[in-house]
Amino acid sequence: MVDKSVDSVSEAVADIADGSSVMIGGFGTAGMPDELIEALIEHGAGNLTIISNNAGNGETGVAALIKAGRVRKIVCSFPRQADSHHFDARYRADEIELELVPQGNLAARIQAAGAGLGGIFTPTGYGTLLAEGKETRRIDGRDYVLEYPIRADFALIKGRRADRWGNLVYRKTARNFGPIMAMAARTAIAQVEEIVPLGSLDPETIVTPGIFVQRVVAFAPSAARAA
Amino acid sequence: MNRLDRKAMAARVARDIPEGAYVNLGIGLPTRVADFLPLDREVILQSENGLLGMGPAPAPGEEDPDLINAGKEPVTLLAGGAFFHHADSFAMMRGGHIDICVLGAFQVSVHGDLANWHTDAPGAIPAVGGAMDLAIGAKRTFVMMELLTRGGASKLVESCSYPLTGLACVSRVYTDHAVFDVGPQGASVVEMIDGLTLDALQDIAGVPLRLAVGAG
């Protein structure tokens, strides 16, 4: 019987080793798998390369991981925000490496990795600092930059519901990077609000087919905990 | 001569957004354009974080942390709205499916180059977000900005001194002094506020200007 469900968030992240690359879903705090990240901090892996849209908000999620000193490098599109103080401090102290990627290129490069492509030619960033030194090509009269896929050892994402095959549905704009990160990581781990019986997710509306997901763990939504 | 305030600028941009347009409004000032779209005009707003059919801010107490806009503020979803993942969201931009995007800017060149992501100031932490994708992806890119910096320097320039967001991507610039078209032929004035002349505007802007066809 295929059963990708695990009993706890700590079991879900137990094999994340020092030096791993880890994609973390979320746009700001929407879709941020806070409980998986808390478990990762407790687990103790360090020297991590994190791929995520932002460099943490407030005190939870990626911000907590950075605060704990576990992140060697972050690949993201929008690190600087009103509440990115933990990243800002580490960056200014030269304790964290930043690779800045335009958001759409980040998404396309992650998707390319998941789709088995060797790279993409993207018009985004052409002629800017972020494309300096990169190969370019003119195709049908338009200029493109060659960008390589971004893959990772692990992806930590957040869904609404899963079944034991790993099929996932999301909630509103918390979907964001979840589906493509699941494709691009060797081991994709999803925390969900509930794991439902096989067959109860409508196959017409499953967003991430279970083939892209290796582990699911149920965790009550943050809103419910706060209430 | 009364310069447009930010509300009036947002209202002016809103006038040029037609029925049926798919529109992305950048974070900051451009977000305000939504408040001035006439209720009888159906315009579909896209947000880079995976939503089409974005509605206004929710009533107090109705906020949903999973339903936010690109500025990470709570929003609502209109009937007919849809959610999608990030790769699809940016395919909408890069693939030329978005009709209009409205962005803020540090500088725009008369040829339509845009600088709006980084000032290169010492100690500044760079952040680009979706700006580069939006700028070059939409069918038309509008910029909305005050014409002058606080120090009085024109932000409409021959060539941007700040790091570029995109090359030759802006088609129209809405400012507190005038509306300009920019592109391969340089900058032309579509309209200007009462009391301003082309010569006076050219002095303020510091770049060569001509009147757009049909302007006056």
Side-chain angles (χ1 to χ4, degrees), chain B residues 12-23:
Chain B
R12 178 63 192 85
V13 175
R15 252 173 58 201
D16 284 357
I17 296 180
E19 166 86 9
Y22 287 92
V23 177

Side-chain angles (χ1 to χ4, degrees), chain B residues 24-62:
Chain B
N24 184 300
L25 301 174
I27 57 178
L29 190 53
T31 305
R32 293 208 196 173
V33 172
D35 299 336
F36 296 93
L37 293 168
L39 294 173
D40 62 353
R41 197 185 299 166
E42 212 161 39
V43 168
I44 300 174
L45 298 181
Q46 197 252 18
S47 188
E48 68 183 12
N49 54 315
L51 112 117
L52 264 178
M54 180 168 61
E62 301 289 306

Side-chain angles (χ1 to χ4, degrees), chain A residues 25-27 30-31 172-180, chain B residues 49-50 84-87:
Chain A
F27 182 89
K172 303 186 180 181
T173 56
R175 181 182 308 190
N176 57 65
F177 283 90
I180 54 173
Chain B
N49 54 315
F84 35 86
H85 63 63
H86 248 81

Side-chain angles (χ1 to χ4, degrees), chain B residues 38 47 59 71 82 87 93 97 102 109 122 135 145 147 149 163 167 172 194-195 215-216:
Chain B
S47 188
M93 299 173 197
H97 308 284
V102 185
S109 84
M145 66 181 191
L147 181 58
T149 65
L167 289 168
R172 181 165 277 196
D194 288 341

Side-chain angles (χ1 to χ4, degrees), chain B residues 8-213:
Chain B
M9 286 167 64
R12 178 63 192 85
V13 175
R15 252 173 58 201
D16 284 357
I17 296 180
E19 166 86 9
Y22 287 92
V23 177
N24 184 300
L25 301 174
I27 57 178
L29 190 53
T31 305
R32 293 208 196 173
V33 172
D35 299 336
F36 296 93
L37 293 168
L39 294 173
D40 62 353
R41 197 185 299 166
E42 212 161 39
V43 168
I44 300 174
L45 298 181
Q46 197 252 18
S47 188
E48 68 183 12
N49 54 315
L51 112 117
L52 264 178
M54 180 168 61
E62 301 289 306
E63 298 89 351
D64 181 338
D66 286 342
L67 183 50
I68 58 172
N69 65 13
K72 304 184 175 80
E73 302 154 332
V75 293
T76 50
L77 188 74
L78 301 180
F83 300 116
F84 35 86
H85 63 63
H86 248 81
D88 280 353
S89 181
F90 281 80
M92 290 175 195
M93 299 173 197
R94 221 190 288 107
H97 308 284
I98 300 286
D99 295 300
I100 295 169
C101 83
V102 185
L103 297 170
F106 299 142
Q107 288 175 328
V108 181
S109 84
V110 293
H111 303 295
D113 298 343
L114 172 66
N116 79 346
W117 72 282
H118 189 34
T119 60
D120 243 354
I125 297 174
V128 64
M132 288 188 181
D133 306 275
L134 269 172
I136 58 96
K139 287 181 190 145
R140 284 193 293 166
T141 296
F142 293 168
V143 159
M144 182 180 171
M145 66 181 191
E146 271 104 19
L147 181 58
L148 303 177
T149 65
R150 282 197 193 116
S154 176
K155 292 153 80 173
L156 183 64
V157 295
E158 281 284 350
S159 141
C160 297
S161 57
Y162 288 134
L164 288 180
T165 304
L167 289 168
C169 53
V170 178
S171 56
R172 181 165 277 196
V173 185
Y174 296 84
T175 74
D176 49 352
H177 287 74
V179 178
F180 304 91
D181 278 339
V182 293
Q185 311 304 319
S188 60
V189 180
V190 177
E191 64 188 44
M192 52 194 147
I193 54 174
D194 288 341
L196 203 54
T197 64
L198 185 64
D199 283 347
L201 182 60
Q202 189 154 300
D203 279 349
I204 296 167
V207 292
L209 297 172
R210 59 196 153 74
L211 281 179
V213 177

